[in-house]
Amino acid sequence: MNERLEAERAQVTEQTRSSGSSDKNKSSAREWSHDELQLLIKAVNLFPAGTAQRWEVVAEFINQHSRTQNIKRNAKETLAKAKDMQSGNFAMSSLKEEVNKMAYENLQKKQR
């Protein structure tokens, strides 16, 4: 009985891993540009938690203001990218800091 449960558990785990990796491959095919990352950070700050349909609004903001018009972002991948950037992943954290720094420098240039 326990062996059967373990076998089923292993099978479910394997299915979850394989479906998760295909999602990662799908999202990595559509890499985020530097411009889009800046827009994501700006949109997350503009539309705080509690905003009705927040991630749809954020995705639409990115689509409207992005320089790459041929790539349209949806709410699901926008939320996933925001979570990736928010996580403790060092590479993403340094990227976020770089994007924030460049956004601040651009703001200073526009104010002059």
Side-chain angles (χ1 to χ4, degrees), residues 23-32 71 73:
D23 288 345
K24 287 180 183 177
N25 290 338
K26 189 165 79 171
S27 67
S28 67
R30 297 171 61 182
E31 291 294 323
W32 286 70
I71 297 177
R73 302 292 178 183

Side-chain angles (χ1 to χ4, degrees), residues 14-29:
E14 183 61 34
Q15 287 174 349
T16 304
R17 285 184 187 158
S18 64
S19 68
S21 65
S22 67
D23 288 345
K24 287 180 183 177
N25 290 338
K26 189 165 79 171
S27 67
S28 67

Side-chain angles (χ1 to χ4, degrees), residues 57-100:
V57 172
V58 169
E60 189 59 33
F61 179 86
I62 293 169
N63 290 335
Q64 287 177 354
H65 294 89
S66 178
R67 293 180 187 155
T68 55
Q69 297 298 325
N70 57 343
I71 297 177
K72 297 294 181 192
R73 302 292 178 183
N74 62 33
K76 187 175 181 178
E77 66 184 324
T78 303
L79 174 60
K81 189 63 170 181
K83 284 183 177 182
D84 283 345
M85 291 182 75
Q86 188 178 26
S87 72
N89 187 348
F90 177 75
M92 293 305 293
S93 296
S94 63
L95 180 61
K96 183 177 176 182
E97 288 173 12
E98 180 185 339
V99 169
N100 278 333

